[in-house]
Every structure is written in C-alpha cells, then in structure tokens.
Amino acid sequence: MIADMIYQKVKEYILQHRMIEQGDFVAAGVSGGADSVCLLYLLRRLQKEISYRLAVVHVNHGAREDAVKDAAYAKSLCEKLDVPFYLKEVDMYGYAALHKLSPEEAGRVLRYQAFQEVINGHNEKGGGKIAVAHNANDRAETMLFHMFRGSGLEGLGSIRPVRERVIRPVLCLTREEIEDYLKEQGIAYCQDSSNAEDMYARNRIRHHILPYAEKEICARAVPHMNELADILTETETYLRQETERLFRKHTDTALWGEERREDITQDGAGERDSCNNLCIRGEGLLTEASVMIKRVLLYALEYMTPHRKDITRKHIADLEGLLHKSGSKELFLPHGIRVYKEYGNLILQRVDKSVPMQDKADKEQESFVIEPPAEVCIPAVGCFSFTLLDRDLFSQEHVFCQKAQNIPENRYTKWFDYDKITTSLLLRTRQAGDYLAIDKALHTKSLKQYMINEKIPKMQRDSMYVLADGSHILWVPDHRISQYYKVDESTKCILQVQLRGGYHGGTN
C-alpha cells in the first residue's frame, strides 16, 4: 500500500533528524490543505509507536472569505482523530501595516506566535516542538526563488528539516506523494484559492517553471534539488562554524565592557538581542581568505543588529572597502550602525537614531520588497497599496477609452506596466546610481539631478521613499513616474499603486 510506504518513509525521516522523541509535545499547523492534512494523519499514526502529545493549531489570517470553512474542516478532522484543536484568529494585514512588514512576513510571525501560545498553555517549560507541513516541492520552489534573487548558500539550502524547535516531517515527500496518500486513504482536503493564482512569484515558479523542468529537463528534478539542498545546508553549516571561529578570533567587544554572545539566533518570530559596540581587528582579518572576510563582516553585522533583514551585499562590500582603504572615512549602515576605521581596526557602534542632518546621506537605507498585492505603511509618509490588475478587466471598468487614450492622471494613484519590472520591486529611500526615464525617447536622468532640478530641499531628499526596479526608479511620489514603465497598448498586467495619508496628504 502507498500509505504504508509513505508512513515508513516519513517515520524514518523523523527518526533520522530526531524530530520527535518520547514525551515531546508537538503543536502541528493544520490549515486544511493537502500537505497539512497528510501531516496530521501521519503524526497521529506515529503516536502508536512513539509516546508523545499532539495538538493542532489552525490560524485564520482574515485574508480569505472561505477561511471559515477551512477552520471548520480542520476542527472536524481533529474531532474525528481525537486530537486537541486550537483556533487562532488574527489580523494579518493590520499587523503588517503596524509593523511595516509584507503580509507574508506578518502571517509567518503571527503563526509562530499562535504556536507559542498553545505551547505555553501546556506549560511546556522546555519548549514544545512546532510541526509544519512544507514538502519537497516547497523546498525546490524556495530554492529557485532564492536563486533568482541572488541568495547565498543559506538561501539556496532552502527549507531545513529542523530549525531550532520547528520540524518539517513531510519535507521528504513530493506533492504528488502527498496527494496519492490522501487519495488512497479516501481523505478529503481543502483547496486554497490563492494557490491557483499567478499573482505571487512563488506560484509562478510552482505552476510554470518547476513543471517545465520536470517535463523537459529531468523528471526527478524535485528530489535531485532536495538532495542538493541537503549538500548546501551541510556546507553552510560547516562554513558557519568556521565563520564563528574567525569572528571570535578577530573581533572584540570587551573594549566597552560588553559580554560576548556565543551564538546568533537565525529563526523565531521575535528580534534577538544585539550588542552596541564591536571592534574588528583588520590586520588579522585581512590574512584570511576573501570569502571568509566577507562572511565575518556579515556575521559582525548580524551580531550588531536585531535581525538580518536589511543587510545587503552592498553593505558588506562597503565594509570590505573600508577595511582595505587607508584614512578615516566612516559609514552609516542599517539599524543606526556607524562604522569608522581607527589604527587599522573597524569600529562598529550603534548610535542614537537622531543622526545629525548632515549625516543623512550616509544614513541607513530602508527598503521594503513588494510582492503585490501588498500594503506598506510608513509613519509620516503614508500607506502604499499595491494591486495587480488584468488589462481586459481594467478596460471594462472604463479606465481605458475605446481608442486607447492614456490612463487618467492622478497625483496619488499611478499605474505601471508590471511585465517591464525585471528585478525585485522595492519601496526604499534613494541610493547612488538611481535614475529614471524622462521622455518618450527614454532618455535618462539621475535621480539626484532630477531632485535638484525639481528644487526638492536637500535635507528632504534622503527621507523620501521611491518605487524602484533595481536602480531604475518607477515613481517619485508627489512628483513623476518613469516614462519607461508607462502603460501602453501592449501592456498585459498593470500594477496599480496608491498612496494615502502621510505628509503627502494623498487620497484616492
């Protein structure tokens, strides 16, 4: 039987990675979809062989109208299997706006908070385990997503079987195996309508890129990519240990009387503690291999910051450049980190956020990765809403006239040709090299020169947020958009951006 084979495969995977042991408490996330339903049935069967406690957590993010039906189905399954069920209802979009996160990030934080509440409710002082239902296809899709965005080894290693208290028992199963298991067992499951849409980048990888690879290149692409992910994860683990060793060798916090932290937490919903001062002994670090120098510098920034989210390759390159240069130039990096060179050493200090105005040009660059539909609210600036619109549907709503006239001008609502965006869409403050197309011939002008020509006050320029595709600026809010991204007769997918409130005073 397929069900028995799959159960044995998952059981061996659980034992191999020591996911569940006698006496554990496991909180399993069950959405009602195929993956999580399969996970629930396999974990329930495993209890006959390993004595542990199991509970189910279902989180309603408030994002879909049919979410109530999913919750009811998950609850009915738990009643049938005699498993404790906990429903948590959250406001994902409200939380995202409040904490300046994407809806996806906010959903993840709220899910893990819900898990932790259930674990705490069972008085698990040692900390229970959290079982989630990522599968082998999810891992392959995540690997491709990270690869396309230029990730390092850790990102290419993709989803790990175990990360701290989070376990993924069905990561060894393909989506096809999961569906075969449920079909043979006669188990129904819910369909998430959002999974069928190509609006999200991950869905486009799922629906088009990975199936093409399996059909035209290698039928076992997913298992092979999972094997590669294991190799990359193992390699990254070793390099991480070596990085930590070199970090301890070439850095010092004792100069300021701070205690050294022995590790840096990479997972979890909250922010970790961070130190305020760090000295990197440049002479010693420069004797190491170039790849390890970069890794130690990245680790140093991780050590100094509450999370890694805003650290980019450019920040590492700037640090490395400063390490090699003579003189006393200083840098201002995300999270209020000031870096300067003194007697061959790099000194990193977290400074007060009230940085003098003359330092604003070097101050941290805040950046939000946009995956429509999304909403980003920035204090004193306003709320940006991003929506994708189909051209035909848009035309039916009379935004286009019969003779393809231009979209009506609106100071705080703009439309762009979404298919022309070639990199990650970012909402951020300006950076060196930014430019925009200023006329129909697509002649370009630097953003700096444009702001000078527009007589935008110098002290205001660095606090302004712009919409960017790499270094190409789509829109300078309250001013103009780039001619290159304008909607025309060939446009198929339209990105609508609205700005409400803030000092712009924009309304739709």
Side-chain angles (χ1 to χ4, degrees), residues 2 6 10 33-39 42 133-138 170-185 187 189:
I2 293 175
I6 286 177
V10 170
D35 302 339
S36 62
V37 169
C38 178
L39 172 67
L42 291 171
H134 292 112
N135 62 45
N137 290 66
D138 294 325
V170 296
L171 194 62
C172 60
L173 301 180
T174 64
R175 189 167 290 123
E176 183 180 7
E177 287 177 310
I178 288 172
E179 292 176 355
D180 286 345
Y181 172 89
L182 295 174
K183 182 178 180 180
E184 183 181 271
Q185 296 290 95
I187 302 169
Y189 55 89

Side-chain angles (χ1 to χ4, degrees), residues 467-485:
L467 191 61
D469 174 15
S471 295
H472 195 154
I473 303 303
L474 282 76
W475 183 28
V476 183
D478 207 24
H479 292 275
R480 68 163 298 158
I481 69 173
S482 175
Q483 188 73 27
Y484 175 76
Y485 296 95

